[in-house]
Amino acid sequence: MLERIKSQIWAILWTAVILVMCNMKMPDTSGSGFFFEGFDKMVHLGFFYVLTIFLFFGKIRYQHNYSFRSLTIFKVILIGAALGGFIELVQWKIFTYRSAEWWDFGCDMVGVFMGVFSFVLLHLFNYEKR
């Protein structure tokens, strides 16, 4: 069990970063020029893409090979959905200075599916090289 947790240390740390960043109070950035409409959605997508990659990376490190099963993909999608839903629920009920939005959850899931697609594509490419 400890070995499994150690193999997922990057995913665990990244989850902590996501939780902090998605629930902290943000300063007013209107008119700054750097942020644009939809920037928040891109951040959600990027956070969950990286989380998905870290989850797969941890799984590869734990099993010491690059093979995967459909159950692993399902678990990663489920973890992403649970975390995304939890963040929106917390923003809605606890951190009311943040807005809970379905679009944020949707972008979380797009990031997860982009990560799954990347992993499967790399797995297939690696398989063809053998």
Side-chain angles (χ1 to χ4, degrees), residues 5 13 21 25 28 30 37 43 45 47-48 61 65 68 72 82 86-88 104 107 111 113 115 120:
I5 291 171
L13 292 172
M21 295 298 289
K25 193 168 190 170
D28 182 25
S30 60
E37 188 176 345
V43 169
L45 188 146
F47 278 164
F48 279 79
R61 284 183 57 199
N65 66 36
F68 74 95
T72 301
F86 174 74
I87 288 170
E88 296 309 312
D104 287 348
C107 289
F113 284 110
V120 170

Side-chain angles (χ1 to χ4, degrees), residues 73-87:
I73 292 174
F74 177 74
K75 287 178 183 178
V76 167
I77 292 170
L78 193 63
I79 289 168
L83 180 61
F86 174 74
I87 288 170

Side-chain angles (χ1 to χ4, degrees), residues 7-114:
S7 68
Q8 290 291 352
I9 192 68
W10 289 110
I12 293 167
L13 292 172
W14 190 249
T15 300
V17 168
I18 291 172
L19 287 170
V20 169
M21 295 298 289
C22 286
N23 291 310
M24 66 188 283
K25 193 168 190 170
M26 300 300 289
D28 182 25
T29 56
S30 60
S32 70
F34 180 73
F35 298 100
F36 52 88
E37 188 176 345
F39 181 80
D40 175 57
K41 307 305 180 249
M42 285 183 52
V43 169
H44 277 267
L45 188 146
F47 278 164
F48 279 79
Y49 174 78
V50 172
L51 175 65
T52 303
I53 298 302
F54 281 153
L55 287 169
F56 281 124
F57 177 71
K59 180 68 172 173
I60 291 167
R61 284 183 57 199
Y62 177 70
Q63 64 190 24
H64 302 292
N65 66 36
Y66 196 63
S67 66
F68 74 95
R69 299 180 315 175
S70 299
L71 182 60
T72 301
I73 292 174
F74 177 74
K75 287 178 183 178
V76 167
I77 292 170
L78 193 63
I79 289 168
L83 180 61
F86 174 74
I87 288 170
E88 296 309 312
L89 183 65
V90 167
Q91 287 179 348
W92 177 44
K93 290 293 187 180
I94 298 173
F95 300 110
T96 55
Y97 50 82
R98 298 294 304 252
S99 62
E101 299 178 17
W102 282 106
W103 285 110
D104 287 348
F105 179 74
C107 289
D108 297 343
M109 295 312 298
V110 168
V112 168
F113 284 110
M114 284 174 56

